[in-house]
Amino acid sequence: MTTPQILSFAIIFVMMAAFVSGRYRYDLVAAAALLLALAVGIVPFDEAFSGFSDDIVIIVGSALLVSAGIARSGIMEVAIKRFVPNVSGVRSQLALLVIVVTILSAFVKNIGALAIMIPIAFQFARRSSVSPSIFLMPMAFGSLLGGLMTQVGTSPNIVVSRVREELTGTAFTMFDFTPVGAALAAAGTIFLMSFYWLLPVREKLGGSLNEAIDIKNYLTEARIVSDSTVLGKTVADLMKLSGGDAIVTSILRNRTMRMTPLPDVVLKANDILLLEGDPEALDRLVSQGKLSVTGDRVGGDDTTSEMIAIEAVIGESSPLIGWTAQRLALYDRFNVNLLAVSRHGERLDRRLAEIQLRLGDVVVLQGNAAAIPEILRELGCLPLAERAILLGSVRKGIAPVTILALAMAATAFGLLPVSVAFFAAAVGMVLFKVIPIREVYQSLDGPILLMLAVLIPVSDSLRTTGATGVIAGELAKLGTILPAPGALMLILVAAMAVTPFLNNAATVLVMAPIAAEFAGDLGYRPEAFLMAVAIGAGCDFLTPIGHQCNTLVMGPGGYRFSDYPRLGLPLSFLVVIVAVPMLMVVWPMN
């Protein structure tokens, strides 16, 4: 090997060891690896930041934003209530998520299928009081397995079809991948549902102060209006929407009559409900029940003014102390709505407008985003660490689903590249106000995107220095002494091993010609070997960097680099064990 090739292997090895150790955060390790590669000369200076324009970075960033838009719309909560209202066990929830994302990935790009299902995973995790990390990595692996079943499921299948056409004059067709891919998907899905416990339970990395806020006794009031989904239904029906995290403390009917909220009480138009619970549960009640928390007070023209809700503590010099919102004419004087109040150690049972506010009360105020900081100063309130408070916000349920469906259709029919389609979908989420502009960059996972961008030129050094050629030469030597199953397994394992350091499409471009030549030298037909390359390139279960689906769940799941092999290594063995005999049956080598 030449000196550049040795240096390239050495830097990759040191970087992987640092990733696995977990001592330093992954984006810092990747940045240091890039600087080291620049210092020793295996990455040219003019290529140092080429990764920032790579399609993979655009795809992952766009998918994060699209997934956030789907989650914010609340459409997935409605879907869960409608289609799977009784799925409560963690294993049952995991089975549903993995099976659906696997099947979807066969017909749409696997990262699109995963983006659709991530919000549902968070809903299930919240419902079962478990970490989302239990669901997200198995879903990512399921999306990779599902992509193996058809030509359009994943990029390696498309690329290997093109390579076969160049080599033999005949491309693989849409469902040539299905027999082997379906067997792998079925075996892999059963494995993921049975052995998900191999994963450690993680929480999202980079937690902020807002995660320390644990206020569960907010009081808010909501009115039953003409288009409320719970109009004419019972209190028990309404409570099902909260998942047990909120309660109705009282019902006011005809303005004066206060009713005990018994489960069988039928809700009528203009009933005012006093609700108590944590902000997310209250938001689910209000949004899914289509209740009104602000009446006709919207703080101006809601089509041009961005309305936000913010939590704040009443300070010692606040003019709110000793006053009610009604007596102070809070909305008329300050143009803000009082949405909820929480008082430590005390249950509030009066209407919001009639609660006499005290020092230390936590309030949720809704107002214009530009004006709210000045209003808080004027009211003597100290804002809490910012977190998403959706109570009372306008939801757009159809728009995000339509945008994502159009993006996936454009990629499925080859009208647009995946990067362009998902970037357009991300922009559409903002243009149609599915996600407020102020929340766009909060939805992007900066450390993940930085890691991807700086790793691309480092990983590409294996190709530019000729190190992949060295690998090919060693494979050819080893293949001559192996029987047919061993030779096929060698190509499959080699493709799996190379994928983390090249992207999966690049792995096929590098490995497919090697595999075809390898097969020819040994006197075998090339189809099984080309299929093995596609399977290996599509099955990176060992790292978060070989496939964008793995990268997409790393931040939300709080995973460490070393978590992926815990579940991924035995799954990789299973893929090899199932794929080799299936390939030999479906694609005879002689």
Side-chain angles (χ1 to χ4, degrees):
M1 287 193 296
T2 64
T3 299
Q5 291 167 356
I6 294 172
L7 290 172
S8 181
F9 279 123
I11 289 174
I12 294 290
F13 177 80
V14 171
M15 179 183 72
M16 296 298 289
F19 277 139
V20 172
S21 73
R23 184 173 181 181
Y24 301 101
R25 205 170 74 172
Y26 46 82
D27 53 336
L28 181 59
V29 171
L34 175 60
L35 291 176
L36 184 57
L38 290 169
V40 301
I42 62 171
V43 174
F45 291 128
D46 59 352
E47 295 291 328
F49 305 113
S50 59
F52 285 92
S53 62
D54 193 278
D55 284 357
I56 292 177
V57 178
I58 303 300
I59 291 169
V60 172
S62 300
L64 286 168
L65 193 59
V66 170
S67 179
I70 295 290
R72 195 180 194 279
S73 70
I75 193 71
M76 289 306 173
E77 297 173 356
V78 176
I80 291 171
K81 296 292 184 184
R82 182 178 179 88
F83 298 109
V84 284
N86 299 317
V87 178
S88 55
V90 172
R91 189 184 293 271
S92 300
Q93 292 170 341
L94 177 67
L96 178 66
L97 291 169
V98 172
I99 291 171
V100 171
V101 80
T102 300
I103 294 172
L104 278 177
S105 296
F107 303 101
V108 300
K109 286 295 183 182
N110 44 23
I111 193 166
L114 185 59
I116 293 175
M117 299 302 292
I118 284 177
I120 297 182
F122 277 96
Q123 291 297 324
F124 280 163
R126 192 178 299 116
R127 178 190 291 183
S128 300
S129 300
V130 297
S131 170
S133 65
I134 292 174
F135 301 129
L136 294 181
M137 191 184 296
M139 288 168 59
F141 289 173
S143 71
L144 299 187
L145 292 166
L148 302 176
M149 290 195 285
T150 62
Q151 186 182 36
V152 299
T154 187
S155 299
N157 291 358
I158 298 172
V159 177
V160 84
S161 296
R162 189 177 69 196
V163 172
R164 188 203 185 197
E165 184 176 20
E166 293 172 353
L167 293 174
T168 68
T170 305
F172 288 120
T173 62
M174 178 74 169
F175 296 106
D176 280 347
F177 300 86
T178 303
V180 179
L184 292 172
T189 300
I190 293 171
F191 170 85
L192 292 171
M193 291 187 296
S194 303
F195 294 96
Y196 68 92
W197 49 265
L198 291 171
L199 275 176
V201 176
R202 300 292 189 198
E203 297 297 334
K204 183 175 179 180
L205 296 177
S208 57
L209 285 176
N210 62 45
E211 294 178 2
I213 301 172
D214 188 26
I215 302 172
K216 297 187 178 297
N217 65 328
Y218 271 120
L219 174 76
T220 190
E221 67 176 58
R223 184 186 300 272
I224 303 291
V225 293
S226 58
D227 61 343
S228 294
T229 60
V230 291
L231 178 62
K233 297 184 178 179
T234 65
V235 171
D237 295 326
L238 175 65
M239 287 299 91
K240 290 178 182 178
L241 303 179
S242 73
D245 295 325
I247 60 172
V248 180
T249 61
S250 190
I251 301 174
L252 283 76
R253 182 166 292 172
N254 299 326
R255 296 185 177 273
T256 56
M257 184 172 63
R258 183 180 290 259
M259 302 176 60
T260 301
L262 298 175
D264 58 349
V265 171
V266 177
L267 300 172
K268 298 183 178 181
N270 295 318
D271 280 355
I272 296 174
L273 313 178
L274 299 188
L275 307 171
E276 183 180 293
D278 66 48
E280 290 184 352
L282 294 176
D283 175 57
R284 289 198 296 273
L285 281 177
V286 170
S287 61
Q288 294 180 37
K290 293 189 178 180
L291 311 179
S292 172
V293 293
T294 62
D296 296 325
R297 305 188 308 272
V298 294
D301 184 359
D302 196 48
T303 62
T304 59
S305 302
E306 185 182 347
M307 303 294 289
I308 65 169
I310 191 167
E311 295 167 293
V313 181
I314 297 178
E316 60 183 356
S317 60
S318 172
L320 297 176
I321 296 175
W323 289 78
T324 66
Q326 187 177 61
R327 289 178 58 202
L328 194 60
L330 187 64
Y331 175 76
D332 295 323
R333 292 179 58 189
F334 299 98
N335 204 27
V336 292
N337 292 314
L338 177 64
L339 297 186
V341 178
S342 175
R343 182 171 296 164
H344 181 68
E346 183 177 339
R347 167 168 284 183
L348 303 171
D349 59 358
R350 308 187 69 178
R351 294 193 61 181
L352 279 180
E354 299 171 356
I355 295 174
Q356 190 175 61
L357 300 172
R358 299 179 186 174
L359 171 65
D361 283 353
V362 180
V363 294
V364 176
L365 299 174
Q366 182 194 52
N368 183 274
I372 204 75
E374 179 59 34
I375 292 171
L376 290 178
R377 283 192 291 270
E378 193 171 348
L379 293 177
C381 295
L382 306 175
L384 296 178
E386 186 176 355
R387 62 172 173 170
I389 297 294
L390 300 179
L391 184 63
S393 62
V394 177
R395 305 302 175 81
K396 298 180 182 294
I398 302 300
V401 175
T402 303
I403 291 168
L404 181 56
L406 289 174
M408 293 193 299
T411 60
F413 291 103
L415 302 178
L416 291 174
V418 180
S419 55
V420 174
F422 271 81
F423 182 76
V427 173
M429 293 289 180
V430 180
L431 288 177
F432 286 92
K433 297 184 179 180
V434 176
I435 298 179
I437 291 179
R438 62 185 174 82
E439 294 183 14
V440 168
Y441 293 102
Q442 298 173 17
S443 302
L444 301 177
D445 197 324
I448 292 291
L449 298 181
L450 178 64
M451 179 191 71
L452 277 179
V454 299
L455 274 185
I456 287 170
V458 176
S459 299
D460 196 46
S461 68
L462 288 174
R463 180 185 60 82
T464 57
T465 61
T468 52
V470 174
I471 296 172
E474 296 303 315
L475 287 176
K477 292 177 184 178
L478 185 57
T480 57
I481 62 173
L482 292 175
L488 189 59
M489 183 183 298
L490 179 65
I491 290 296
L492 176 58
V493 172
M496 282 184 170
V498 171
T499 298
F501 310 108
L502 302 175
N503 67 60
N504 49 16
T507 296
V508 175
L509 291 174
V510 170
M511 291 295 300
I514 294 172
E517 184 176 350
F518 180 74
D521 291 344
L522 296 177
Y524 300 129
R525 294 174 58 86
E527 285 79 8
F529 290 86
L530 292 175
M531 282 285 184
V533 170
I535 292 169
C539 290
D540 174 31
F541 305 123
L542 303 180
T543 73
I545 58 177
H547 196 283
Q548 55 264 36
C549 288
N550 291 354
T551 310
L552 185 63
V553 300
M554 186 178 184
Y559 299 118
R560 300 173 186 172
F561 204 94
S562 58
D563 291 340
Y564 286 79
R566 294 193 183 194
L567 186 64
L569 187 59
L571 180 57
S572 298
F573 281 123
L574 178 65
V575 167
V576 173
I577 291 170
V578 174
V580 171
M582 283 295 299
L583 285 171
M584 295 182 69
V585 170
V586 177
W587 299 98
M589 298 171 62
N590 296 314

